[in-house]
Amino acid sequence: MVEILDKDHGNIHNFWEAMGKPEPPTREEIKVMKTFANTMDTKYLKADKNGVLTINQELTPWSVVLIKQIK
């Protein structure tokens, strides 16, 4: 599983700014922000028959990638 956090996926800071920067956010706003934070770009990739996993993904500056092995 490959998850990408970037400016368009799961970026809670930009989302918070779009909400008007509530300080402090209400419980409902926090719930909405947590839901949005889990909207990362997720892909499931499979290794080849030799166990080699090849990832060809262009990343924008400041993107974060999580590669997680799932069974």
Side-chain angles (χ1 to χ4, degrees):
M1 179 174 71
V2 177
E3 291 182 322
I4 299 173
L5 169 68
D6 61 19
K7 67 180 184 82
D8 299 318
H9 302 95
N11 183 338
I12 195 63
H13 184 265
N14 288 355
F15 188 76
W16 173 73
E17 284 184 334
M19 292 176 70
K21 301 181 183 179
E23 190 59 46
T26 65
R27 287 183 180 174
E28 186 59 35
E29 289 169 331
I30 290 170
K31 188 188 283 188
V32 170
M33 288 189 288
K34 283 182 179 182
T35 299
F36 181 80
N38 289 318
T39 63
M40 289 171 279
D41 185 13
T42 304
K43 295 175 173 60
Y44 293 90
L45 306 174
K46 199 170 187 179
D48 67 16
K49 64 180 180 172
N50 296 318
V52 176
L53 177 65
T54 302
I55 301 173
N56 185 10
Q57 176 71 48
E58 187 173 326
L59 298 174
T60 58
W62 303 107
S63 296
V64 178
V65 177
L66 169 67
I67 301 170
K68 182 178 177 182
Q69 180 178 348
I70 55 176
K71 298 178 183 184

